[in-house]
Amino acid sequence: MYEVEIARMDHEGRGIGYIDGKVTFIKNALPKEVVECEILNEKKNYNIAKVINYKKFSKKRVKPFCPYYEVCGGCNLEHMSYEETMQYKKEKVKNILTKEKIDFPEIEIIENPSPTNYRNKLSLKIKEGKIGFYEESTHKLIEIESCPLAIEGINNCLKNIEKLNIKNGSITIRINYNNEIMLIIKTEDTIKFNREDFENVKIVGVVVNDKTIYGNNFFYERMNGFLFKVSFNAFFQVNPYVTNKMFLKVAEHIENTNTVLDLYSGVGTLGLIASSKANKVYSIEIVKNAVLDNLENKKINKKDNIYPILGDAEKTLSKIKDSFDTIMIDPPRKGLDKNTRNVLLNSKAKKLIYISCNPLTLARDLKELASVYEIEKLYILDMFSYTYHVESFCVLNRR
């Protein structure tokens, strides 16, 4: 047992202290707290520890609202007030960019109007008939009855999942604007779905091991006046409240004369938003099914100025004869690959809109783009409330 004073927090929301001079990461510990802790994992350059007892509490500590918070691996910041989590995220992004010597303007915070009951997707494990999340960094199942971050319709559905008689596997529950539910199940067990078992729940599709056994393998999401087809395995932002605000920011930074290039376009959500103001939108995506969804979404929303293209950005751009005023990018957590960075550096686009879910890879990419572009606006959107994850929204102008 070691007594440690917490000096600061790391980028994953853990407290940082020192044991015999070695950096030690401690979950659920705030700066200025003194804790007794036990080392769980001792590495060459750092330790990972857990709190056994609090000797001194921070004045900023609050009581977590989730009964599973101490053991569940889903959330990281429930022991902080919502306002403090936002300041933590702002400082986190600021510190990461400053470390890379990137010039940036004052960071603007876009809060979540619904910090709880906001998730439209919940992925759960099932072990020996019990449903829940794994404890952090383990395969120990923490059985839950509900999740306070999930939209209530998901929690209502969760009460009935045991009726599917799944012994082992996983289940993802997705919900749309109309409280319609899709169930996506992975299991070796035989599933017999009975609609009557899900009282007061609008089940529109059940997919087991990628095969549809009830209803459809997609539903529709409505946002900002647009209708989006969302397939069972297609990406869509988990927070409809903040996504709505993000879409408004996209529209704000698109001009009527723009020809827009939408890279990593997925099912075309950002392209559709931009199409309301832009002259043309070219959407490039390497996943075939996402491009097919984009084509259908273009048709549903009666947008003739969107041109979905299947292919790799570097190889496909040479086939497009138009020049681009604006390029939008919303890559996965790994950020931009080398080819895409080269495309951006060599383009004639006057403006980049870069949306990122990982400030570390964002900083890496911005550092390289800084030779050509400067940051005009920088927002952080609280897409993932009470977790350490941050969604950043950058507007860059060509120098």
Side-chain angles (χ1 to χ4, degrees):
M1 189 91 69
Y2 298 89
E3 185 174 301
V4 178
E5 182 172 359
I6 306 302
R8 61 191 185 279
M9 292 174 69
D10 77 347
H11 297 327
E12 296 182 13
R14 299 174 296 186
I16 295 179
Y18 297 87
I19 295 176
D20 297 330
K22 186 187 288 188
V23 170
T24 301
F25 301 105
I26 308 171
K27 183 182 177 181
N28 198 0
L30 294 172
K32 298 184 179 179
E33 291 189 326
V34 178
V35 302
E36 290 181 331
C37 65
E38 175 186 2
I39 294 177
L40 299 177
N41 197 345
E42 188 170 358
K43 301 287 187 179
K44 182 178 179 181
N45 297 318
Y46 65 91
N47 301 312
I48 296 175
K50 73 173 182 178
V51 176
I52 301 299
N53 182 45
Y54 292 91
K55 302 281 285 186
K56 179 184 176 182
F57 286 108
S58 165
K59 293 179 181 179
K60 295 182 177 179
R61 174 172 288 277
V62 301
K63 184 179 179 180
F65 51 81
C66 176
Y68 313 107
Y69 180 67
E70 302 294 337
V71 287
C72 174
C75 300
N76 324 93
L77 304 177
E78 279 189 28
H79 56 297
M80 303 167 69
S81 70
Y82 182 70
E83 292 73 22
E84 286 295 327
T85 69
M86 292 310 304
Q87 288 305 311
Y88 161 76
K89 292 182 182 187
K90 181 177 180 179
E91 288 302 310
K92 169 180 169 174
V93 173
K94 185 176 179 180
N95 291 339
I96 290 171
L97 296 181
T98 300
K99 186 177 180 180
E100 294 295 337
K101 299 180 180 179
I102 296 168
D103 292 327
F104 58 93
E106 178 63 25
I107 299 173
E108 298 181 42
I109 297 174
I110 298 177
E111 294 186 352
N112 184 357
S114 178
T116 59
N117 301 119
Y118 66 85
R119 287 191 64 94
N120 60 20
K121 178 181 177 182
L122 203 66
S123 296
L124 300 139
K125 302 295 183 182
I126 303 176
K127 209 169 182 179
E128 299 300 326
K130 296 181 178 180
I131 305 165
F133 298 111
Y134 283 149
E135 184 176 346
E136 188 174 23
S137 302
T138 75
H139 285 112
K140 179 183 176 183
L141 188 84
I142 306 301
E143 191 174 10
I144 70 165
E145 294 182 1
S146 65
C147 173
L149 298 191
I151 290 173
E152 273 307 304
I154 289 180
N155 286 324
N156 291 337
C157 180
L158 185 56
K159 297 172 185 175
N160 299 285
I161 295 301
E162 62 181 18
K163 296 174 184 175
L164 293 171
N165 294 318
I166 304 171
K167 187 174 182 182
N168 293 291
S170 64
I171 185 165
T172 297
I173 308 172
R174 301 185 71 164
I175 191 169
N176 67 0
Y177 75 105
N178 202 30
N179 283 322
E180 294 171 333
I181 295 278
M182 259 197 305
L183 302 178
I184 301 100
I185 301 165
K186 295 284 187 181
T187 184
E188 294 181 2
D189 301 327
T190 301
I191 302 296
K192 292 183 179 178
F193 173 76
N194 294 312
R195 179 65 190 83
E196 295 76 17
D197 288 338
F198 287 78
E199 187 178 356
N200 300 321
V201 180
K202 292 192 251 182
I203 304 288
V204 295
V206 180
V207 179
V208 180
N209 299 329
D210 296 335
K211 294 183 179 180
T212 307
I213 67 167
Y214 173 83
N216 298 313
N217 64 358
F218 65 90
F219 58 26
Y220 291 96
E221 185 62 89
R222 184 178 292 280
M223 199 169 292
N224 292 67
F226 290 93
L227 199 64
F228 303 100
K229 179 187 176 184
V230 182
S231 296
F232 76 98
N233 58 350
F235 170 78
F236 200 88
Q237 293 285 6
V238 301
N239 186 330
Y241 308 103
V242 177
T243 301
N244 176 71
K245 290 175 176 284
M246 182 176 74
F247 286 175
L248 292 174
K249 283 296 173 190
V250 170
E252 180 182 322
H253 291 285
I254 299 294
E255 298 175 11
N256 293 330
T257 57
N258 281 168
T259 298
V260 176
L261 174 63
D262 181 15
L263 297 178
Y264 304 94
S265 61
V267 301
T269 51
L270 297 182
L272 276 167
I273 299 300
S275 71
S276 292
K277 293 178 69 177
N279 181 30
K280 292 180 182 178
V281 177
Y282 290 91
S283 297
I284 298 180
E285 170 61 49
I286 201 166
V287 178
K288 183 177 179 180
N289 285 341
V291 176
L292 293 174
D293 279 349
N294 193 349
L295 286 165
E296 184 160 347
N297 288 331
K298 167 188 171 179
K299 184 178 179 181
I300 292 169
N301 292 282
K302 300 179 180 178
K303 291 293 181 181
D304 297 326
N305 58 338
I306 301 176
Y307 302 90
I309 300 170
L310 174 65
D312 176 80
E314 186 180 40
K315 297 175 182 177
T316 307
L317 277 175
S318 60
K319 300 175 185 177
I320 302 173
K321 303 306 178 185
D322 278 331
S323 58
F324 308 106
D325 306 293
T326 300
I327 300 177
M328 303 188 300
I329 41 180
D330 186 6
R333 287 189 59 78
K334 65 181 180 180
L336 305 176
D337 58 43
K338 184 178 180 180
N339 290 342
T340 305
R341 289 198 295 271
N342 287 336
V343 167
L344 299 179
L345 289 168
N346 295 323
S347 78
K348 303 292 189 219
K350 297 177 182 178
K351 180 182 291 186
L352 299 183
I353 297 174
Y354 188 159
I355 299 170
S356 168
C357 60
N358 185 348
L360 292 171
T361 54
L362 172 67
R364 178 203 66 200
D365 295 340
L366 289 177
K367 187 174 183 178
E368 188 164 344
L369 294 172
S371 61
V372 177
Y373 292 96
E374 62 181 351
I375 304 174
E376 174 195 353
K377 290 281 187 180
L378 175 56
Y379 309 93
I380 59 171
L381 301 97
D382 192 29
M383 192 76 73
F384 316 101
S385 300
Y386 291 109
T387 78
Y388 65 79
H389 297 291
V390 182
E391 191 88 355
S392 304
F393 186 110
C394 298
V395 181
L396 300 95
N397 290 327
R398 180 170 282 276
R399 294 184 183 276

